[in-house]
């Protein structure tokens, strides 16, 4: 089943910036099941900004097999300091729980990206102050609720850095 999301039509704005741009907007979530709908081989640059681990890992494995430039956003949750945001090759990303989880998933699957790719990440480590125990279905069971939010300026900078990298690699 394909999950549909509304597309906020930014196409006109992007075309006003670059009339030669070819823009394909899809109202779908990338998963292993929907991967063929995206035709990644038709693109020059693929930017991964998926937050969910398994689809992110699948996209990275898929795109790394193709003759496209792959750029990836690692975790921006619990980051506050924009001066700590960096760019590194995936295997050199440090202090990023999402990158660590991806490496672990690749090892578990015994599948690895076929070539190197750049990532935007932040090595900033902050305590998750939003953790709390909440009562589950029975009084003796508890589970943690964890909200890993971030602030708009950090996610915006991740996006701007990815856009800048995409432009640089096309020059």
């Amino acid at each position: 089943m394909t999950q549909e999301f509304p597309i906020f039509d930014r196409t006109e704005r992007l075309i006003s910036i670059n009339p030669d741009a070819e823009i394909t907007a899809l109202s779908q979530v990338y998963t292993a099941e929907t991967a063929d709908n995206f035709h990644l081989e038709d693109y020059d640059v693929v930017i991964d900004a998926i937050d969910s681990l398994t689809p992110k890992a699948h996209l990275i494995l898929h795109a790394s097999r193709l003759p496209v430039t792959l750029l990836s956003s690692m975790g921006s949750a619990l980051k506050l300091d924009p001066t700590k945001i960096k760019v590194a090759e995936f295997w050199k990303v440090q202090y990023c729980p999402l990158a660590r989880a991806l490496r672990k998933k690749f090892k578990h699957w015994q599948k690895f990206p076929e070539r190197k790719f750049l990532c935007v990440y932040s090595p900033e480590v902050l305590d998750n102050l939003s953790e709390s125990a909440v009562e589950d279905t029975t009084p003796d069971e508890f589970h943690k609720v964890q909200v890993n939010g971030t602030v708009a300026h950090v996610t915006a900078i991740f996006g701007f850095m990815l856009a800048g990298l995409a432009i640089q690699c096309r020059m």
Side-chain angles (χ1 to χ4, degrees):
M1 184 170 122
T2 301
Q3 189 175 1
E4 298 291 328
F5 289 93
I7 295 176
F8 299 101
D9 189 6
R10 307 279 190 222
T11 307
E12 286 181 29
R13 175 71 176 124
L14 294 172
I15 294 297
S16 74
I17 294 168
N18 181 358
D20 296 327
E22 294 180 35
I23 300 166
T24 304
L26 299 176
S27 181
Q28 290 184 331
V29 174
Y30 183 95
T31 64
E33 295 76 29
T34 64
D36 291 340
N37 298 340
F38 287 81
H39 304 285
L40 299 181
E41 65 280 356
D42 294 342
Y43 298 100
D44 297 321
V45 179
V46 173
I47 298 177
D48 155 49
I50 299 174
D51 290 331
S52 300
L53 187 62
T54 298
K56 184 178 201 73
H58 187 277
L59 175 66
I60 289 170
L61 292 174
H62 181 181
S64 74
R65 292 190 306 263
L66 301 172
V68 301
T69 298
L70 171 62
L71 303 170
S72 185
S73 174
M74 292 294 115
S76 63
L78 294 173
K79 309 299 182 187
L80 292 174
D81 186 348
T83 65
K84 293 189 176 169
I85 299 172
K86 299 180 178 211
V87 175
E89 193 278 320
F90 172 70
W91 296 102
K92 295 182 179 180
V93 171
Q94 298 178 330
Y95 306 107
C96 176
L98 183 54
R100 183 172 39 253
L102 278 169
R103 290 190 285 261
K104 184 176 180 180
K105 183 162 281 292
F106 292 146
K107 288 176 188 172
H108 175 75
W109 285 350
Q110 295 184 357
K111 294 181 181 176
F112 300 92
E114 292 193 14
R115 54 192 168 77
K116 294 179 180 184
F117 59 97
L118 292 178
C119 299
V120 175
Y121 76 103
S122 172
E124 181 179 22
V125 178
L126 297 173
D127 291 334
N128 185 348
L129 302 177
S130 64
E131 288 187 34
S132 62
V134 295
E135 193 171 333
D136 203 348
T137 54
T138 65
D140 296 327
E141 294 180 27
F142 289 86
H143 67 277
K144 283 187 176 182
V145 173
Q146 189 171 3
V147 178
N148 290 330
T150 191
V151 289
H153 70 279
V154 172
T155 55
I157 293 170
F158 270 58
F160 287 137
M161 290 182 75
L162 287 163
L165 290 168
I167 291 167
Q168 288 175 24
C169 73
R170 298 307 309 151
M171 296 181 98

